[in-house]
Amino acid sequence: MTKILAIETSCDETAAAVIEDGVRIKSNIVASQIDIHRRYGGVFPEMASRQHILTISTVIRDALIEARAGWNEVKAVAVTYGPGLAGSLLVGVNVAKGIAMALGVPLIGINHLEGHIYANWLDVEGKGRRPRIKFPALSLIVSGGHTELVLIRGHGSYQILGRTIDDAAGEAFDKVARILGIGFPGGPAIQKAAEGGNPTAYKFPRARLGNSFDFSFSGLKTAVLREVQKYSAVDRLHQPEESADQPPLPLKQMPTANLAASFQMAVVDALVDKTKAAAEAYDVAEILLAGGVSANTLLRNKMMSGAGRPVRVPPLYLCTDNAAMIGAAAYWRWKAGDVANWDLDVVANLRLG
Ligand code: KG4
Ligand code: ZN
């Protein structure tokens, strides 16, 4: 049995996990910094790296204790090397490097997005064996910084079919939540605000971008902003003077639930339509959802209905950032012997942004 200690610090979660044979989650510790960043309305990079430094050693120790694993059982150390916030990545990479050197075990650098995909390979039903995912598979990765459609022909074999040309899906959720004034992180806030709202109340745009599998969400964000401005008190105050003799705009309550529901439906429609079209075009065996936005209930349900092939969705706690997924991805690299010189290469491969 191969136990891999995995570390993830690419954004605002300090996370460590022990994964056995790339499938069994022996431990999965996530220290969220959301309460710290909430007061800034988004992730404050400098604060994120400081917080990683403060918590990383406790998080790793807890991961080993919960897994009942000794240092001598760790066969390799896996770490996210990018993409992500530079200062945050450096904390995890340096700690992982130190541990790997001290233990004399390989260090495996993992791309964060590859990690998200591999959340689908973890055994979440406690069966002790890995899900039998058939290739070619298509993964829709939807996170705070990325929206990508990836064709997976085999372990480690990826072809990007499409990606966002502007905002990522999660970023759109976060920005629109800020426009609606309903909090951070935006995804869960919008999902909650949309409950009871009418998703057809507003006809927000769904960017087609020809026959490509690319996405665009900035037009949608602007359309929501324009609607919100109609209700904002600021706009009423800045009516041009010549219109002073005209009746003022009726003071209406902003229909937040309808706006949130219509926005959510527009994002989900775009994601689902393109993913299903790509699945048909490449005749894939399965669809794998990945990344924080795949925690969205509407997206999960719409993707699963009428997809014509199995759609796998990680449980909620594996959709958002965690180290278990990094350990799962690392196992396949380890198995393929793809670990040589990683102790030297990780920093060279550190991706910024
Ligand atoms: O994958 P992730 O945890 O971190 C990154 O790698 O970026 O994704 C975070 C993103 C945030 O933008 C957050 O608003 C979004 O995932 N998110 C959601 C939901 N839960 C988290 N978006 C829509 N619906 C949700 N339920
Ligand atoms: Zn992520």
Side-chain angles (χ1 to χ4, degrees):
M1 273 184 294
T2 305
K3 284 197 179 69
I4 292 182
L5 170 65
I7 295 168
E8 151 69 46
T9 64
S10 67
C11 190
D12 61 340
E13 325 278 1
T14 316
V18 175
I19 302 301
E20 200 171 68
D21 293 342
V23 59
R24 285 179 294 281
I25 305 174
K26 306 307 281 184
S27 64
N28 183 28
I29 309 287
V30 181
S32 171
Q33 305 176 4
I34 278 183
D35 289 338
I36 294 168
H37 300 292
R38 188 170 279 129
R39 71 185 87 136
Y40 304 103
V43 177
F44 186 164
E46 175 73 17
M47 205 67 89
S49 23
R50 282 161 181 251
Q51 201 57 32
H52 286 311
I53 291 174
L54 286 174
T55 45
I56 186 86
S57 35
T58 315
V59 167
I60 291 173
R61 204 179 306 132
D62 286 355
L64 287 167
I65 291 170
E66 196 173 302
R68 296 172 190 275
W71 288 110
N72 58 341
E73 292 172 65
V74 173
K75 292 283 179 295
V77 180
V79 64
T80 306
Y81 68 83
L85 301 170
S88 291
L89 288 164
L90 281 169
V91 177
V93 167
N94 276 321
V95 169
K97 201 172 176 182
I99 294 174
M101 282 170 103
L103 296 178
V105 299
L107 181 61
I108 309 171
I110 295 296
N111 179 297
H112 181 75
L113 302 178
E114 186 179 19
H116 272 304
I117 293 174
Y118 272 85
N120 287 287
W121 264 271
L122 287 161
D123 166 37
V124 288
E125 290 165 7
K127 290 186 183 147
R129 52 190 160 79
R130 66 180 51 88
R132 289 182 193 283
I133 297 176
K134 294 193 188 73
F135 296 117
L138 176 71
S139 185
L140 172 70
I141 309 173
V142 268
S143 71
H146 294 267
T147 300
E148 319 218 342
L149 262 177
V150 184
L151 181 66
I152 311 168
R153 294 210 165 85
H155 290 293
S157 165
Y158 308 110
Q159 182 188 342
I160 305 220
L161 303 181
R163 51 162 52 111
T164 181
I165 58 164
D166 40 54
D167 292 346
E171 190 179 357
F173 270 98
D174 293 338
K175 286 179 177 169
V176 167
R178 203 174 309 158
I179 291 169
L180 296 175
I182 55 174
F184 170 85
I190 289 202
Q191 179 166 316
K192 190 152 191 303
E195 284 168 16
N198 174 5
T200 58
Y202 295 90
K203 298 227 170 331
F204 289 136
R206 280 98 165 129
R208 290 260 159 252
L209 304 174
N211 290 328
S212 83
F213 296 122
D214 287 336
F215 302 93
S216 165
F217 296 109
S218 82
L220 169 59
K221 175 193 64 193
T222 311
V224 178
L225 179 64
R226 289 224 183 87
E227 279 305 324
V228 168
Q229 280 168 342
K230 291 184 192 163
Y231 297 94
S232 99
V234 178
D235 272 356
R236 282 172 53 81
L237 287 175
H238 292 87
Q239 293 285 307
E241 252 182 279
E242 55 271 28
S243 68
D245 53 343
Q246 294 179 4
L249 285 172
L251 184 60
K252 284 191 258 172
Q253 195 74 37
M254 191 165 82
T256 306
N258 284 352
L259 286 163
S262 302
F263 162 77
Q264 181 176 247
M265 187 59 91
V267 175
V268 168
D269 274 350
L271 293 172
V272 170
D273 287 355
K274 294 253 169 168
T275 306
K276 287 183 179 168
E280 283 297 315
Y282 288 85
D283 194 20
V284 300
E286 308 202 11
I287 294 173
L288 315 176
L289 281 188
V293 182
S294 57
N296 186 273
T297 309
L298 184 68
L299 174 62
R300 295 160 85 94
N301 292 342
K302 284 204 118 193
M303 193 68 84
M304 283 189 201
S305 84
R309 53 200 29 90
V311 176
R312 290 184 199 256
V313 194
L316 295 186
Y317 68 95
L318 293 176
C319 288
T320 45
D321 288 351
N322 64 86
M325 65 188 196
I326 303 301
Y331 174 76
W332 296 98
R333 298 231 167 260
W334 182 84
K335 232 178 142 208
D338 191 7
V339 293
N341 287 327
W342 266 113
D343 54 342
L344 299 175
D345 286 354
V346 164
V347 171
N349 280 288
L350 182 68
R351 293 228 210 131
L352 310 182

